């Protein structure tokens, strides 16, 4: 397939593709208008023609216009200019024209994917997207199952919901049909590998006791908090996981954050120590949930090492579910896929170089990122957000399980496998967490994944351009000597070399050893580069910020502050570092022609704000 032309994927920072966009939108609207008109043309017209309308009706239309104008001016006054490379803040960039147009076209048909009967077209699209995601993640398409969720939060709930219910299945089988088991030891039953539990579930179905097992599993009986084990997450985890253990009755006390290393990746040695400690006191591990792209740093946890660790523990009779939270970074796996295969690392680098996406000097992907992404296929389930690196409008998350039999632990209908012979589930809503849900989202994600394939020539290069832009930005920050601000001097440092495309960075006045003063400086910059003071539309540069504190990260941020001249005792006293955070999703900073000028503009804005904050002449 020909690589996509990135410049033609978006409306564009100056609405460059406006003509195409408007013509296509009008065409799609006409299609819909005809669709209505042609439905039983013999039916009489109920609403009178525009030119026959009476005064009351004109008033209604006028009021509608007035309200929409009000809406439009509110939107223009304070919305975030995500289309522009001047916006380097949260996980946002321009959204794909294909996705926007598909969404707008579909919304007029108002399909509800909760049930096939209210959304025949878009239910099929949603399940096709599930298959696309299964392919993206290297799952066996015959066994895997995926669908669209409202967001990454809901997808994480589903991952942990399935993990919880699965973990409770062996104990339920012990009550209902113990003959299906080789053991009645509680410890062994709480440590069966996922595949063994799925086989057990199949056996229960074959024995006609599936419903009884489900009633005796966690979904029926509830659980004592912690009784099924601990949930181990990196310190950098997203807070949706805290909500999930709360809602699922696991309890936040049983969510254990594991230390991260200096690159903010889950530390596998600490993970193993934690598991050893739990095993020693006979506390099971329910699930381990690494991230591929942590929300604050874009750090990619060593999923391959975690999968290896699980295999080692299984040899010793200890197992747990492995769910990957790739809400942020899931789409980046496209950068490693060619012809549906996970490509060799040299081939990945070669193609990204040939397509002029990632510069050779950028040297991406590093081995550990590549291996972590390869290991996605070893996880039991994965969360992915099309509304982040998929460049699709909100609200679009996604969830995929490696083995569809797991759905029987959460479904509220006949076993999935049985109903599947009918091709489509009658009621998607009975296999998932949500109820009514927009078919328009399914259309948008499906259109995006069709126009921009989930492989190197599609999303691979689109995401790759963000990665390249982020690395350029990182190198510029790293190689910036002191910045002269009047008679003062200021230093700037990136926190880590990005695994993907997030750059965290902070400024400090040269010679300042007070961490609170350094934090104030960066807070001040954030205020001037956000919605905080004055309309965002007039800002030269817009960013986001985050706080790296001792409670969440141990002493890791202290080492970063030290690079900016903050002594250890200042770190111990304050215990938190405010950093600016730039998610570089925009593909435009990968171009030589734009980057140089961009960096000048960025530094100009920073100098001005620094002078303002420091009161320098
Ligand atoms: C964004 C994010 C989530 C939550 O996704 P939403 O779509 O915002 O609900 C979960 N995990 C990670 C790592 C994320 O970056």
């Amino acid at each position: 397939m020909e690589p996509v032309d990135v410049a033609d994927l978006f409306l564009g920072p100056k609405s460059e593709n406006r003509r195409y966009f408007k013509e296509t939108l009008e065409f799609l609207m006409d299609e819909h208008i005809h669709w209505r008109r042609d439905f039983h043309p013999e039916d009489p017209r109920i609403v009178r023609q525009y030119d026959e309308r009476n005064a009351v009706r004109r008033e209604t239309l006028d009021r509608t216009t007035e309200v929409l104008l009000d809406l439009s001016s509110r939107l223009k006054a304070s919305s975030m200019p995500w289309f522009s490379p001047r916006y380097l803040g949260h996980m946002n960039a321009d959204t794909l024209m294909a996705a926007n147009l598909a969404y707008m076209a579909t919304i007029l048909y108002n399909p509800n994917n909760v049930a096939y009967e209210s959304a025949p077209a878009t239910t099929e699209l949603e399940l096709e997207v599930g298959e696309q995601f299964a392919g993206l993640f290297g799952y066996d398409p015959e066994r895997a199952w995926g669908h669209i969720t409202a967001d990454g939060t809901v997808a994480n709930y589903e991952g942990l919901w399935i993990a919880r219910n699965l973990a409770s299945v062996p104990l339920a089988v012990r009550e209902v049909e113990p003959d299906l088991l080789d053991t009645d030891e509680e410890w062994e039953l709480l440590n069966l590998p996922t595949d063994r539990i799925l086989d057990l579930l199949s056996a229960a179905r074959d024995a006609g006791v599936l419903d009884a097992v489900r009633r005796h599993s966690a979904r029926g009986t509830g659980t004592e908090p912690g009784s099924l084990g601990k949930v181990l997450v990196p310190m950098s985890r997203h807070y949706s996981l805290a909500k999930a253990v709360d809602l699922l009755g696991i309890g936040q006390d049983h969510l254990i954050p594991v230390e991260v290393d200096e690159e903010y990746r889950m530390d596998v040695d600490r993970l193993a120590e934690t598991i050893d400690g739990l095993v020693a006191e006979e506390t099971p591990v329910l699930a381990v949930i690494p991230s591929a792209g942590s929300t604050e740093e874009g750090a990619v946890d060593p999923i391959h090492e975690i999968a290896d660790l699980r295999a080692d523990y299984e040899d010793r009779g200890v197992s747990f579910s492995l769910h990957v939270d790739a809400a942020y970074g899931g789409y980046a796996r496209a950068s490693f896929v060619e012809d549906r295969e996970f490509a060799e690392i040299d081939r990945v680098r070669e193609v990204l170089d040939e397509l002029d996406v990632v510069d050779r000097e950028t040297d991406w992907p590093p081995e550990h990122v590549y291996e972590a992404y390869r290991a996605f296929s070893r996880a039991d389930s994965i969360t992915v957000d099309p509304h982040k690196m998929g460049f699709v409008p909100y609200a679009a998350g996604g969830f995929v399980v490696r083995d569809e039999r797991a759905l029987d632990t959460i479904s509220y209908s006949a076993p999935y496998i049985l109903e599947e012979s009918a091709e489509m589930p009658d009621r998607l809503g009975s296999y998932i967490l949500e109820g009514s849900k927009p078919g328009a989202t399914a259309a948008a994600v499906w259109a995006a994944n069709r126009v921009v394939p989930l492989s190197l020539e599609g999303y691979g290069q689109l995401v790759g351009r963000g990665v390249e832009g982020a690395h350029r930005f990182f190198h510029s920050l790293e190689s910036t000597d002191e910045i002269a601000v009047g008679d003062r001097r200021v230093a700037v440092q990136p926190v880590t070399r990005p695994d993907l495309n997030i750059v965290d960075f902070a400024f400090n006045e040269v010679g300042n050893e007070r961490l609170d003063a350094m934090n104030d400086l960066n807070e001040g910059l954030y205020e001037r580069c956000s919605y905080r003071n004055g309309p965002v539309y007039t800002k030269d540069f817009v960013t986001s910020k985050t706080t790296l504190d001792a409670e969440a990260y141990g002493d890791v941020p202290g080492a970063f502050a030290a690079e900016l001249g903050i002594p250890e005792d200042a770190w111990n006293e304050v215990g938190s570092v405010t950093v600016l955070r730039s998610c570089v999703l925009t593909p435009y900073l990968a171009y030589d022609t734009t980057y140089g000028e961009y960096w000048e503009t960025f530094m100009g804005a920073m100098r001005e704000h620094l002078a303002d904050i420091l009161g320098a002449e």
Side-chain angles (χ1 to χ4, degrees):
M1 192 178 296
E2 280 295 297
V4 291
D5 182 343
V6 169
D8 279 344
L9 289 176
F10 301 101
L11 180 54
K14 294 283 169 225
S15 299
E16 290 87 339
N17 283 317
R18 64 189 169 278
R19 184 168 309 171
Y20 174 82
F21 183 79
K22 283 168 70 173
E23 278 172 5
T24 312
L25 184 61
E26 195 177 346
F27 167 76
L28 292 167
M29 296 300 126
D30 283 345
E31 287 274 286
H32 180 81
I33 287 165
H34 295 149
W35 183 70
R36 286 188 183 213
R37 227 172 30 201
D38 295 347
F39 183 69
H40 289 285
E42 72 278 15
D43 288 349
R45 255 210 302 256
I46 297 168
V47 181
R48 263 172 298 163
Q49 288 265 36
Y50 185 80
D51 51 0
E52 298 166 15
R53 63 200 174 156
N54 59 33
V56 176
R57 283 208 49 240
R58 186 178 300 121
E59 226 168 74
T60 303
L61 289 178
D62 287 349
R63 182 160 8 133
T64 306
T65 307
E66 220 169 90
V67 169
L68 290 174
L69 279 174
D70 186 16
L71 169 70
S72 182
S73 60
R74 282 168 187 247
L75 288 171
K76 295 202 307 186
S78 59
S79 289
M80 292 292 147
W82 284 333
F83 53 82
S84 168
R86 285 177 185 265
Y87 181 86
L88 290 188
H90 291 288
M91 299 162 159
N92 296 99
D94 205 350
T95 45
L96 297 163
M97 270 197 296
N100 293 336
L101 290 166
Y103 196 102
M104 289 191 258
T106 310
I107 211 162
L108 293 175
Y109 298 85
N110 199 24
N112 179 358
N113 280 17
V114 70
Y116 189 79
E117 85 176 326
S118 47
T122 53
T123 302
E124 290 179 16
L125 299 185
E126 174 156 356
L127 295 177
E128 205 175 307
V129 167
E131 286 167 18
Q132 291 166 340
F133 285 147
L136 173 65
F137 297 141
Y139 282 161
D140 174 355
E142 296 296 313
R143 288 172 65 201
W145 190 85
H147 76 105
I148 292 170
T149 57
D151 56 14
T153 299
V154 167
N156 278 342
Y157 292 168
E158 281 189 2
L160 205 50
W161 188 21
I162 287 179
R164 184 198 72 166
N165 287 1
L166 263 182
S168 71
V169 161
L171 293 175
V173 171
R174 186 174 66 177
E175 301 211 356
V176 172
E177 193 75 38
D179 291 350
L180 296 175
L181 296 166
D182 319 327
T183 174
D184 60 359
E185 286 294 324
E186 178 139 330
W187 176 253
E188 286 177 45
L189 294 175
L190 286 170
N191 277 287
L192 290 187
T194 306
D195 285 338
R196 289 277 308 283
I197 303 177
L198 290 167
D199 290 343
L200 200 52
L201 211 52
S202 298
R205 184 170 47 236
D206 294 344
V209 294
L210 181 63
D211 278 333
V213 167
R214 291 204 284 198
R215 275 199 307 279
H216 283 81
S217 74
R219 65 189 259 166
T221 60
T223 52
E224 286 283 311
S227 63
L228 295 170
K230 307 283 183 186
V231 177
L232 275 39
V233 293
M235 279 187 164
S236 56
R237 84 277 182 193
H238 188 267
Y239 70 105
S240 54
L241 294 168
K243 293 187 198 169
V245 291
D246 167 357
L247 280 167
L248 289 166
I250 294 167
Q252 294 188 348
D253 286 352
H254 304 285
L255 183 76
I256 303 190
V258 175
E259 283 87 341
V260 291
D261 63 18
E262 266 152 40
E263 309 294 322
Y264 293 81
R265 300 177 200 128
M266 194 180 206
D267 187 324
V268 178
D269 293 335
R270 303 308 291 267
L271 174 63
E273 277 168 31
T274 308
I275 297 174
D276 287 343
L278 293 169
V279 170
E281 57 178 51
E282 295 228 339
T283 300
V285 176
L286 172 57
V288 177
I289 308 182
S291 343
S294 62
T295 311
E296 305 302 342
E297 307 84 9
V300 176
D301 290 330
I303 296 159
H304 50 305
E305 293 175 15
I306 295 167
D308 288 345
L309 193 70
R310 177 166 75 157
D312 289 347
Y313 275 109
E314 284 177 357
D315 291 341
R316 290 187 265 152
V318 171
S319 191
F320 44 82
S321 283
L322 179 57
H323 172 72
V324 172
D325 182 359
Y328 185 54
Y331 268 77
R333 200 172 193 269
S335 296
F336 310 126
V337 174
E338 192 181 36
D339 299 330
R340 296 171 173 266
E341 296 292 325
F342 201 79
E344 295 293 324
I345 189 166
D346 291 338
R347 176 67 189 156
V348 171
R349 290 184 174 146
E350 186 185 307
V351 176
L352 290 174
D353 185 47
E354 267 169 21
L355 293 175
D356 225 5
V357 172
V358 174
D359 200 81
R360 262 187 198 287
E361 275 173 34
T362 300
D363 202 20
W364 190 89
E367 191 93 20
H368 69 91
V369 168
Y370 172 84
E371 289 300 335
Y373 273 91
R374 184 206 286 280
F376 271 40
S377 57
R378 300 168 69 189
D380 297 320
S381 53
I382 300 171
T383 288
V384 55
D385 266 355
H387 64 210
K388 287 176 178 168
M389 264 191 222
F391 299 82
V392 166
Y394 293 112
F399 176 74
V400 196
V401 273
R402 185 167 45 84
D403 191 321
E404 63 188 2
R405 291 178 296 171
L407 290 181
D408 285 343
T409 64
I410 60 164
S411 73
Y412 278 78
S413 70
Y416 184 70
I417 309 290
L418 296 185
E419 208 190 313
E420 204 196 14
S421 51
E423 287 281 307
M424 281 293 143
D426 259 3
R427 229 188 141 68
L428 186 57
S430 62
Y431 298 100
I432 63 178
L433 181 57
E434 292 161 80
S436 293
K437 61 203 293 285
T441 298
V445 181
W446 175 84
N449 292 354
R450 285 283 297 273
V451 173
V452 191
L454 292 162
S455 54
L456 265 164
E457 74 272 12
Y459 274 104
Q461 63 151 326
L462 178 53
V463 169
R465 279 175 207 275
V467 168
E468 170 66 14
H471 281 76
R472 285 179 187 225
F473 193 54
F474 164 79
H475 282 300
S476 300
L477 290 166
E478 198 187 31
S479 57
T480 296
D481 280 338
E482 291 166 8
I483 306 159
V485 182
D487 52 356
R488 322 274 283 267
R489 287 170 307 133
V490 175
V492 64
Q493 274 292 326
V495 176
T496 55
R497 183 191 162 88
D499 280 350
L500 295 170
N501 55 6
I502 300 182
V503 185
D504 289 348
F505 57 105
F507 293 81
N508 190 23
E509 186 171 4
V510 174
N512 171 51
E513 296 193 344
R514 284 180 39 216
L515 183 50
D516 52 353
M518 173 173 143
N519 287 344
D520 287 347
L521 180 67
N522 290 291
E523 283 285 349
L525 286 170
Y526 169 70
E527 302 244 322
R528 287 161 179 77
C529 298
S530 67
Y531 70 96
R532 282 288 186 78
N533 61 19
V536 130
Y537 203 69
T538 62
K539 300 281 160 84
D540 291 326
F541 173 72
V542 187
T543 192
S544 67
K545 66 156 182 177
T546 188
T547 307
L548 305 174
D549 61 28
E551 197 192 327
Y553 293 101
D555 281 328
V556 176
F560 168 67
E563 288 175 39
L564 280 164
I566 301 296
E568 197 179 330
D569 50 347
W571 159 251
N572 290 336
E573 191 187 321
V574 177
S576 94
V577 182
T578 301
V579 300
L580 302 174
R581 167 173 165 275
S582 289
C583 300
V584 188
L585 283 154
T586 176
Y588 304 121
L589 297 186
Y591 299 107
D592 281 336
T593 42
T594 45
Y595 186 77
E597 205 172 303
Y598 176 82
W599 174 254
E600 289 305 314
T601 310
F602 167 77
M603 269 323 249
M606 290 298 125
R607 266 197 209 93
E608 201 175 297
H609 296 322
L610 286 166
D612 184 28
I613 298 167
L614 296 172
E617 288 306 306

